Amino acid sequence: MKVLGILAFAVALLLSVMVHEFGHYITAKKFNMKVTEFFLGFGTKLWSFRKGETEFGVKAIPAGGYCRIEGMTPTDRMPAGEESRAFFTASSGKKLIVLGAGSFAHFLIGFLLIFSIFFGVGYTALLSNIAQVSPNSAASEAGFLAGDKIIEVDGQKVKDWYLDSRKIAESDGKQMRFTIERAGEVLTLTATPQYVQEQKRYVLGVVTQIGNKRESFFPAISASAKATVTLTKESVKSLFALPSKVPQLIRQTFMGEERNPDGLVGIVGAARVSGDAVSSQNLNSNQRVSTFILIVASLNIFVGLFNLLPFLPLDGGHMAIAIADEVRALFARIRRKPRPAGIDVNVMTPITMAVFGVLAVLTLILLVADIINPISINF
């Protein structure tokens, strides 16, 4: 099962990359840019076919994929009569849409994966099904029985028992009305929660089940949107904390320090964690699937944000240049001067290579760390 989880993660990662590239492809084609290649993998070509002007195919090294849009820089040569289809000649707005489409695809994947948990697979939640009634409690006196399902509290439908049960804790000892479902019948019971000094709150005196819960379509959309926002916020925090975690990663890699589960992790480490989740004996089948899906969703959201960082060769770096072009054009208009030529990314090559070098070194350190000192998470 662990190997299956690792392989599933690798497939999910490759599919995510291809959806990212498809975002670039579909928007570039929409704006009539010339797209000549769309490949899964790098290196030697294994198989391909041509549709229109674009060659689609698979290459030998499954380490990602790419979409080749012609005319990325002013020095790129375009076929005669197609100069206007070069990426470089497009408006800054179109450039931003094409460049941002990849990250948007990652956010969309993340949202859809989270939606599949809420709407399809289900998630572990506190249910309103009563598993046990405490003797001499308010619930016992009111006639609650194990097997009852609480469907309303004071006339309000139960949607999330974890939140709805707080009404009991905050009842101030007032009598409450409960609508329950028992053996297919709907009954109404009244009970006055009792104050428990040790817990410093009012309790009904029931223990409810923990089980798998699914949302209906629209509540699932709402819950997925909130979860996506939460994961995005956490990813932003992780990005800001990334530089401060590099020294820790070096110590963990080369000095034998124990890996921090909240520290940096590479693709190999994420694949290992996915394998651990899928093979865990402490999780049921639904929990394994939902945990795996959540890992892939979180990775997509983080990658989507990371790719927006304003550094070449990331898409965010190219977007920053497009924005800088518009800022320069604005100042030119204010000064009543002609629009200046767009910034040639070729002049930024030293910076691009420096950023690429830093990312390559970090990737290598993460690879070594994930192999010799892997992160351990007890699922």
Side-chain angles (χ1 to χ4, degrees), residues 318-331:
H318 291 281
M319 295 175 74
I321 289 177
I323 294 171
D325 278 339
E326 286 307 304
V327 172
R328 292 168 66 234
L330 175 62
F331 280 109

Side-chain angles (χ1 to χ4, degrees), residues 14 39-46 58-66:
L14 282 175
F39 273 86
L40 170 64
F42 301 98
T44 304
K45 184 193 305 182
L46 299 179
V58 178
K59 293 191 173 182
I61 304 173
Y66 70 93

Side-chain angles (χ1 to χ4, degrees), residues 147-191:
D148 291 348
K149 180 179 180 179
I150 303 173
I151 56 177
E152 287 185 4
V153 177
D154 280 342
Q156 294 186 348
K157 186 176 180 180
V158 172
K159 296 180 179 179
D160 183 338
W161 183 245
Y162 176 77
L163 298 177
D164 294 331
S165 62
R166 293 180 184 177
K167 297 173 186 175
I168 299 171
E170 299 167 357
S171 65
D172 290 329
K174 298 176 182 177
Q175 188 180 74
M176 303 182 72
R177 187 175 75 257
F178 298 87
T179 303
I180 65 168
E181 187 178 282
R182 177 186 295 168
E185 293 186 57
V186 176
L187 308 173
T188 299
L189 302 176
T190 57

Side-chain angles (χ1 to χ4, degrees), residues 4 27 44 53 154 160 168 185 230 298 334 357:
L4 179 62
T27 50
T44 304
E53 65 184 8
D154 280 342
D160 183 338
I168 299 171
E185 293 186 57
T230 299
S298 302
I334 293 173

Side-chain angles (χ1 to χ4, degrees), residues 172-369:
D172 290 329
K174 298 176 182 177
Q175 188 180 74
M176 303 182 72
R177 187 175 75 257
F178 298 87
T179 303
I180 65 168
E181 187 178 282
R182 177 186 295 168
E185 293 186 57
V186 176
L187 308 173
T188 299
L189 302 176
T190 57
T192 302
Q194 301 170 347
Y195 187 77
V196 177
Q197 185 63 40
E198 293 80 2
Q199 300 180 30
K200 296 183 178 180
R201 63 188 179 94
Y202 289 90
V203 300
L204 182 61
V206 298
V207 177
T208 58
Q209 297 176 5
I210 295 176
N212 195 60
K213 182 180 179 182
R214 295 181 180 89
E215 303 287 357
S216 55
F217 186 78
F218 290 108
I221 290 178
S222 176
S224 301
K226 292 177 182 178
T228 301
V229 170
T230 299
L231 284 176
T232 301
K233 290 179 179 178
E234 292 303 314
S235 294
V236 170
K237 292 178 183 178
S238 297
L239 280 176
F240 277 105
L242 194 152
S244 65
K245 292 185 177 182
V246 172
Q248 180 189 61
L249 175 66
I250 293 174
R251 294 195 302 271
Q252 293 168 351
T253 307
F254 302 108
M255 301 178 187
E257 187 174 307
E258 185 178 353
R259 287 291 292 277
N260 180 1
D262 295 325
L264 301 179
V265 61
I267 296 300
V268 172
R272 186 191 293 269
V273 170
S274 297
D276 290 341
V278 171
S279 62
S280 174
Q281 298 301 312
N282 298 322
L283 304 178
N284 60 40
S285 58
N286 279 57
Q287 290 172 329
R288 292 172 192 165
V289 173
S290 61
T291 301
F292 172 80
I293 292 174
L294 187 59
I295 291 171
V296 178
S298 302
L299 178 66
N300 269 279
I301 292 172
F302 180 82
V303 170
L305 276 174
F306 185 85
N307 198 50
L308 291 176
L309 292 176
F311 306 116
L312 291 170
L314 302 175
D315 289 337
H318 291 281
M319 295 175 74
I321 289 177
I323 294 171
D325 278 339
E326 286 307 304
V327 172
R328 292 168 66 234
L330 175 62
F331 280 109
R333 286 197 299 272
I334 293 173
R335 297 164 61 189
R336 296 183 179 179
K337 291 188 175 183
R339 181 185 178 96
I343 299 172
D344 184 356
V345 295
N346 288 325
V347 303
M348 310 287 287
T349 299
I351 297 176
T352 302
M353 295 307 296
V355 173
F356 180 81
V358 170
L359 293 178
V361 170
L362 179 59
T363 301
L364 182 61
I365 294 175
L366 282 169
L367 176 63
V368 174

